[in-house]
Amino acid sequence: MTQSGGLMAAASARNRAFIGKNEHDYVLVHAGVAQLGDATLLFPGSPESGKSTLVAGLVRSGWTYLSDELALLDPQTGVVMPYQRPISIDTGAYDLFPELRHRGYAPSAEQWHVDAEDLRCGATGGVLSAIPTHVVFNRYDPTSSTTLAPLRQATALLQLIGNSVRLANHGAIGFEVLAVVAEKTESFSLDSNSLAEQVSELSSLVQ
Amino acid sequence: MSELNDHRKQMKRHPDVLDRMVDGELVLYQTTNGAAAVLDPLGTLIWQCLADPASVEDLTPDIAEAFEISEAQVGADLLELFQRMATEGFLVDAA
C-alpha cells in the first residue's frame, strides 16, 4: 500500500459512518461513479457487471474516483456524493492491473480491495459532490466489440430503477430524482470485451 | 397474480403506482413490488383513460376509432394489456 493508504482508510471509515448515519437521506443506486473534468459519469449495474473494474481502469487513466459500488443521490439537489470505499477487483480482472502486484496485492487473494490511490496518486481528491452528466450501462461481453450506443431517457430511467436500492422508501421523491437524472444526463449502453477500449471510448466521450 | 378474463370488469390504477412522462414516453413505477415499465402510445392512452375506473368494454369503441382498428381486435389487445398490467401490479379491480 502507498503512503496515502492511511488517508484512504480514514476516508473509508468516514464514508461508512456517513452511510450508516444518513443512508435513508439519499436515493441509492448500485453504480460506479467517476469524474473527468466537468463530466461525472454513473455506471449502474449489478455486482457482477464489471463496473468496479471499469471504474478502476478509468481512475488509473486519470479520472477521479467517487465510488465503485453506490451512487448516493441527494433528493433535494440531485447531486451525487462520493462514497470512496476500496475498489473491489475480482480475480478474473487481476491481469488487467499488473502494477498492483508490485504494491502488495497478492495474486492468490480471493478479491482485491484496492485503495484508489494505489491506482493513481490523487485519484480520490477534492470532490465533495457532483452533478451527474452521463449514465452509462456497461456490460462486459467477451464476444462483443466495443459499442457505445445512446439510450432513450425512458429506458435509462427503467434501468436506474432496476439498479436502485430500497427506492420505495423515498416514495415519489425517489422516483422523481431518478427521472431527473435520466432527463438531465446523456445515457448510453457500453458493450465491450476490452477494458482499454472502454476507457478510451469514455474518455473520448467526455473530452 | 390477478385473473382478468371479463371485458366488463371495471379496473383502476393501483394507488401505489407513480407515473411520469420522460421525453415523451410514459414510465410507470409500482412502489410496492418495484415493477417498472415504459408504455407504448396505446398503453399511454389507456393509462390516461384509466384516471377513472373503466373496463375493456368501456374503452374499446373510442380506441378502435382513434387507431382505426376493428373493435374485435382492440378488445382482444386491450384485454391482454389489462391482464399484463394487472399482473405487474399497475391495475387493480375497481370493485
Side-chain angles (χ1 to χ4, degrees), chain A residues 83-94:
Chain A
Y83 183 54
Q84 296 168 317
R85 301 203 318 175
I87 301 172
S88 299
I89 303 291
D90 291 329
T91 53
Y94 287 179

Side-chain angles (χ1 to χ4, degrees), chain A residues 36-113:
Chain A
L36 185 65
D38 294 332
T40 300
L41 275 68
L42 309 185
F43 303 101
S46 61
E48 299 302 320
S49 65
K51 60 183 187 295
S52 294
T53 302
L54 174 57
V55 166
L58 291 169
V59 167
R60 180 175 57 185
S61 72
W63 293 55
T64 299
Y65 175 59
L66 277 77
S67 176
D68 81 321
E69 182 181 349
L70 284 175
L72 281 64
L73 295 162
D74 185 326
Q76 306 303 319
T77 63
V79 301
V80 60
M81 312 297 289
Y83 183 54
Q84 296 168 317
R85 301 203 318 175
I87 301 172
S88 299
I89 303 291
D90 291 329
T91 53
Y94 287 179
D95 288 345
L96 296 171
F97 303 94
E99 71 276 18
L100 291 177
R101 294 183 183 178
H102 303 297
R103 293 185 174 273
Y105 293 91
S108 59
E110 291 185 2
Q111 190 179 52
W112 286 347
H113 302 284

Side-chain angles (χ1 to χ4, degrees), chain A residues 152-155 157-158 161 164 166-169 171-173 175-176 179-180 182-183, chain B residues 18-38:
Chain A
R152 302 192 332 261
Q153 292 178 0
T155 303
L157 176 53
L158 277 196
I161 291 170
S164 65
R166 297 189 295 276
L167 181 62
N169 291 356
I173 291 175
F175 182 52
E176 180 64 19
V180 170
E183 285 180 326
Chain B
L18 302 172
D19 61 10
R20 194 181 190 290
M21 292 298 292
V22 179
D23 195 27
E25 295 187 278
L26 188 67
V27 178
L28 305 183
Y29 171 56
Q30 220 290 6
T31 60
T32 307
N33 65 15
V38 181

Side-chain angles (χ1 to χ4, degrees), chain B residues 1 4 46-47 55 57 90 94:
Chain B
M1 182 179 293
L4 176 62
I46 300 304
W47 186 255
S55 67
E57 188 177 79
F90 298 130

